[in-house]
Amino acid sequence: MGLRGYVLKRIAHALLVVYLVTTVLFIGIRSVPGDPAVLILGRDADPAAMQELRESLGLNEPIYVQYVRWMSGIMRGDFGNSLFTNQPVTDTIFGLVEPTISIAIVAMIIAIFIAIPAGIISAVRQYSIEDDIVTFVSFIGLSQPSFFTGILLLLIFAGHFQLLPAFGYNPISEGILPWLSSIILPATAAGISSGAVLMRMVRSSMLDVLNEDYMRTAEAKGLDKNLILFKHGLQNALIPVLTLGGLLFGALLGGTVTLEIVFGINGIGRLVIQSISRRDFPVIQGVVIIIAFVFVMLNLVVDLLYTAINPKIRY
Amino acid sequence: MTEPILEVKNLTTSFSTDEGELIAVDDVSFTIDRGEIFGIVGESGSGKSVTALSILQLIDSTGQIDADEILFDGEDLLSASDEEIRQIRGSKMGMIFQNPSTSLNPVLTVGEQIAEVVRHHGDVDESDSFWREMGRKYVTGTSTQSPSWKRAVSLLEKVGIPAPEERAKDYPHQLSGGMKQRAMIAQALAADPELIIADEPTTALDVTIEAQILAELENLREEFDVSIIFITHDLGVIREICDNVTVMYAGEVMEAGDVRTIIEDPWHPYTQDLIACIPRLSDDREWLTVSEGNVPSLVNKEPGCPYRYRCDYEFGECTTESEKFAGSSANHQVKCHLHDPEHDEQLATMERESGLYDSQSTDSIDGGVSQ
């Protein structure tokens, strides 16, 4: 089939998945109690006004009519307007994607830089003091919610030392440094949580690899310890780590709501919560399409990365 | 006669476990001459692999190796430093493992796995420093024009792999089991070793491939003048290619000697049982003989003969440690009270009564491995 054919097939799959997800959501979200018109006008508003509003928002029509209209809009690149702000959904979302992606990427980099060295050390020195310390710290990272880590970081670096801004997001267009200083704290908080999970995986995967026959073969060849570890072991150990890394990154891209709230950043996570509580159907649908698509694409990227680190996998 | 390539004297390897001390190898001694193929035979858990791994100190960190001496090429391996041991591993002593599918690294090409040995131990002018090797692994790859790669290709050719230039670029999973084992052999040969330890090299292979690999090993003995320790549970294979053999059970040497003598006139009941298990072409037995029972636990071993629990001849003395008794030929030793000259009469009576082994000691074995 070849790589090209494989990628095309996977993209077709991705579109199908996204379509199914949004369709289920479209119907599901309308079955949940809660009427946007009531939420906009208030519980005591005039029923006639409410009826009029429903009419103008197109909420009165049968669900399949709404669905067809929405779908045909998407085909033209129009995701509809927010029921509340009347802004186009695309504009609403795209302004908020940047902070979320920025945090996710930086958090992931931090997670990897924590997880791989720590995981290797604790696997190679299993049951040593180093292993105990790394394991202990990782359990703190695992059990502590990331918003709490965020608050601690905020207190220390923004409060006590006043080194970093406590609030808000600076777009990358304003310069790398202001951008980085605005996201480094939330990214670190998210990175510690993800890094702790990832580290456990690196450790157990590395331990498995250390017991493999081919590691003994490498030893029987008289190779140097470090060479055995990094040339013969590391790549094999990273194969399962990659799967988990992809999932964690996907979760970060879905937005870390609590962190966005703690650090006063307007991101995707906040938008989702806000629009769900307002029953802002078009926005919810738009966000879900984006998140579902990114998720499926991310899986594709992970699968393609497999071919780079696992020679047994070829498409 | 020249000095032997390897002399192991009173090797004991034990592991500390939660239940107590596990003695995997119990007071094992043997000597291997240059150019000899030396067999170690025994069932699972008999300590044959651990014996081999102990020579190169490749056992787990929980293990403890004790011996009076392990003289390899005149050098005592027990007093060698870690660095010296590392220099011997892969260069003067190569290893072939049981399962080629798991013993080759899945993320390195076959050629690279051989070439790195050449760079590390051979006389090629290529750096094998950590960063150069990492660069080769993750950035540049190993040049197919480099001397180490070319040597890898020629080694693959020597062990009978067709189209070696192409195969060298393959990953292990792209090769068949037999090819993989040949690649393992090429890897063991890469630095021109004096001794190869082959730990059940044919167990994971089917019989036709097994015969080919055995022929290949015999071939290499001639061509490279290398000694081989051949570990297997199959006495048929031992008969095929070994000069001398040591029969191990529960970590102890039961019987040792030259292969012909032992196959034709086995003394130890265990060896006799092993031989009885080999299928023969002339068999009119409906069922093959099976030795009932299992190897006893090696943790907190009781004194005495470890085979007595399964032995047909078991008698009072078996609970005490037996000496080694030499046979009529200088090269035959057995560790069994039955062969204590004092018990000659007892033995004779027992053999008459059972009549089991009389026929077999005269019968030659036709089965085993296809030739």
Side-chain angles (χ1 to χ4, degrees):
Chain A
M1 182 164 59
L3 188 62
R4 205 189 142 98
Y6 175 77
V7 171
L8 288 176
K9 197 176 115 187
R10 286 290 302 267
I11 291 176
H13 276 183
L15 292 174
L16 182 68
V17 168
V18 172
Y19 169 74
L20 291 175
V21 166
T22 47
T23 304
V24 169
L25 178 90
F26 188 93
I27 300 163
I29 195 80
R30 280 166 178 73
S31 330
V32 177
D35 182 346
V38 176
L39 289 164
I40 292 171
L41 296 175
R43 202 172 290 278
D44 307 322
D46 174 23
M50 269 199 212
Q51 192 56 30
E52 198 179 316
L53 182 63
R54 281 198 201 100
E55 201 81 49
S56 73
L57 294 176
L59 296 171
N60 261 357
E61 290 174 85
I63 199 161
Y64 63 88
V65 175
Q66 293 184 42
Y67 180 71
V68 169
R69 189 189 302 134
W70 180 64
M71 266 296 156
S72 65
I74 285 176
M75 294 303 159
R76 286 178 271 112
D78 174 14
F79 284 62
N81 292 347
S82 163
L83 299 183
F84 279 78
T85 60
N86 212 27
Q87 294 282 315
V89 170
T90 38
D91 295 357
T92 314
I93 293 173
F94 279 110
L96 306 181
V97 161
E98 190 191 303
T100 298
I101 288 188
S102 304
I103 292 177
I105 290 176
V106 176
M108 203 60 210
I109 292 172
I110 291 171
I112 290 171
F113 273 87
I114 295 173
I116 293 184
I120 291 176
I121 289 171
S122 73
V124 172
R125 310 243 158 99
Q126 195 187 8
Y127 305 135
S128 69
I129 296 287
E130 293 96 318
D131 183 24
D132 289 346
I133 293 172
V134 168
T135 303
F136 181 73
V137 173
S138 80
F139 275 117
I140 295 179
L142 280 175
S143 51
Q144 182 168 300
S146 61
F147 76 86
F148 183 67
T149 316
I151 291 172
L152 287 183
L153 290 173
L154 204 59
L155 284 174
I156 297 169
F157 292 100
H160 186 73
F161 292 114
Q162 312 231 323
L163 287 172
L164 295 162
F167 209 75
Y169 172 74
N170 300 319
I172 199 163
S173 54
E174 287 176 20
I176 295 283
L177 221 57
W179 167 76
L180 197 62
S181 65
S182 72
I183 59 163
I184 191 72
L185 290 183
T188 305
I192 287 175
S193 299
S194 306
V197 182
L198 209 55
M199 177 261 147
R200 300 303 302 166
M201 189 62 161
V202 174
R203 179 179 185 271
S204 74
S205 165
M206 196 72 198
L207 281 175
D208 287 346
V209 166
L210 290 176
N211 284 323
E212 290 282 353
D213 288 347
Y214 54 76
M215 295 299 274
R216 190 184 53 187
T217 306
E219 215 182 327
K221 293 199 289 196
L223 300 176
D224 176 72
K225 256 199 184 103
N226 285 329
L227 199 59
I228 295 174
L229 191 62
F230 290 101
K231 184 178 172 186
H232 287 253
L234 183 62
Q235 192 178 341
N236 282 298
L238 288 184
I239 293 170
V241 173
L242 180 61
T243 314
L244 183 66
L247 290 173
L248 288 172
F249 189 55
L252 287 171
L253 280 177
T256 37
V257 188
T258 49
L259 279 175
E260 287 172 11
I261 292 170
V262 167
F263 289 93
I265 291 172
N266 263 324
I268 291 288
R270 258 182 139 181
L271 178 68
V272 171
I273 298 293
Q274 196 182 43
S275 28
I276 288 175
S277 58
R278 282 173 171 177
R279 300 287 184 273
D280 197 342
F281 300 142
V283 176
I284 301 172
Q285 285 153 197
V287 171
V288 170
I289 286 188
I290 304 273
I291 292 179
F293 189 72
V294 167
F295 229 94
V296 188
M297 283 298 123
L298 193 67
N299 269 313
L300 176 58
V301 171
V302 167
D303 285 349
L304 292 179
L305 282 177
Y306 273 132
T307 63
I309 68 168
N310 187 353
K312 282 187 195 168
I313 297 178
R314 288 280 175 272
Y315 301 117
Chain B
M1 206 169 128
T2 52
E3 65 171 37
I5 184 72
L6 181 74
E7 275 184 275
V8 174
K9 286 185 191 151
N10 307 101
L11 169 72
T12 296
T13 303
S14 55
F15 296 89
S16 56
T17 68
D18 292 341
E19 288 86 42
E21 193 187 30
L22 185 153
I23 300 171
V25 178
D26 194 353
D27 197 22
V28 168
S29 304
F30 53 85
T31 300
I32 301 171
D33 287 325
R34 286 171 198 274
E36 175 180 346
I37 301 186
F38 181 83
I40 302 179
V41 69
E43 62 197 277
S44 308
S46 60
K48 51 196 193 308
S49 289
V50 180
T51 303
L53 293 174
S54 298
I55 297 168
L56 273 177
Q57 298 176 20
L58 283 172
I59 59 169
D60 290 359
S61 53
T62 55
Q64 171 70 34
I65 302 170
D66 286 307
D68 291 345
E69 252 179 349
I70 300 180
L71 280 181
F72 174 65
D73 206 10
E75 187 183 350
D76 187 8
L77 296 184
L78 279 176
S79 56
S81 68
D82 288 357
E83 182 55 33
E84 285 165 335
I85 291 283
R86 272 209 314 115
Q87 284 309 317
I88 291 170
R89 285 177 190 162
S91 69
K92 288 167 93 178
M93 214 189 288
M95 277 208 80
I96 303 167
F97 292 103
Q98 172 171 5
N99 192 338
S101 302
T102 57
S103 297
L104 287 169
N105 195 319
V107 303
L108 295 171
T109 60
V110 170
E112 171 59 19
Q113 297 190 52
I114 301 168
E116 70 175 350
V117 183
V118 177
R119 285 196 296 271
H120 189 55
H121 296 295
D123 52 354
V124 290
D125 191 19
E126 286 171 88
S127 163
D128 70 323
S129 72
F130 178 77
W131 290 111
R132 287 289 292 125
E133 287 288 327
M134 292 303 275
R136 275 188 199 101
K137 165 80 187 82
Y138 292 104
V139 188
T140 60
T142 301
S143 159
T144 54
Q145 297 307 312
S146 64
S148 61
W149 187 271
K150 286 182 173 160
R151 171 119 172 92
V153 171
S154 80
L155 280 162
L156 286 173
E157 192 172 16
K158 276 219 175 77
V159 297
I161 289 186
E165 292 90 358
E166 304 307 311
R167 294 295 78 73
K169 292 179 208 152
D170 282 346
Y171 287 92
H173 73 273
Q174 291 166 294
L175 304 184
S176 68
M179 288 288 169
K180 272 185 267 203
Q181 198 55 292
R182 283 170 197 268
M184 275 297 282
I185 296 173
Q187 183 179 272
L189 285 171
D192 236 332
E194 309 200 10
L195 175 69
I196 288 181
I197 301 178
D199 187 358
E200 305 229 20
T202 57
T203 304
L205 306 174
D206 61 55
V207 234
T208 46
I209 307 297
E210 176 173 50
Q212 288 173 19
I213 295 287
L214 293 180
E216 196 61 55
L217 284 172
E218 278 199 289
N219 208 1
L220 294 173
R221 184 231 317 240
E222 304 299 320
E223 193 176 339
F224 291 82
D225 194 28
V226 62
S227 315
I228 300 174
I229 299 183
F230 195 96
I231 298 167
T232 178
H233 57 258
D234 187 346
L235 257 180
V237 175
I238 292 277
R239 194 194 60 147
E240 205 75 11
I241 71 162
C242 293
D243 304 311
N244 289 300
V245 62
T246 276
V247 180
M248 286 186 72
Y249 185 79
E252 296 178 33
V253 173
M254 299 279 101
E255 188 163 5
D258 90 275
V259 169
R260 181 156 289 275
T261 312
I262 286 191
I263 300 263
E264 283 176 5
D265 183 20
W267 282 1
H268 200 286
Y270 179 54
T271 318
Q272 294 168 354
D273 285 346
L274 278 184
I275 290 172
C277 292
I278 304 176
R280 284 166 290 161
L281 285 181
S282 59
D283 258 343
D284 48 9
R285 293 179 288 182
E286 193 169 341
W287 296 93
L288 290 175
T289 316
V290 175
S291 182
E292 299 285 343
N294 286 309
V295 182
S297 165
L298 300 177
V299 180
N300 305 322
K301 245 166 89 174
E302 290 165 31
C305 174
Y307 195 59
R308 66 175 185 274
Y309 311 102
R310 297 163 78 175
C311 184
D312 294 333
Y313 302 106
E314 195 247 337
F315 67 112
E317 300 253 326
C318 291
T319 51
T320 62
E321 203 64 37
S322 167
E323 289 167 39
K324 289 190 186 110
F325 300 106
S328 50
S329 85
N331 195 7
H332 192 178
Q333 283 193 319
V334 68
K335 195 170 162 188
C336 179
H337 285 291
L338 290 175
H339 294 276
D340 189 333
E342 288 171 26
H343 293 301
D344 261 358
E345 227 159 275
Q346 194 156 5
L347 175 67
T349 328
M350 280 181 156
E351 281 200 335
R352 221 178 305 117
E353 277 167 8
S354 73
L356 182 63
Y357 299 109
D358 294 346
S359 57
Q360 275 159 26
S361 50
T362 50
D363 234 11
S364 72
I365 302 159
D366 305 316
V369 174
S370 53
Q371 312 221 2

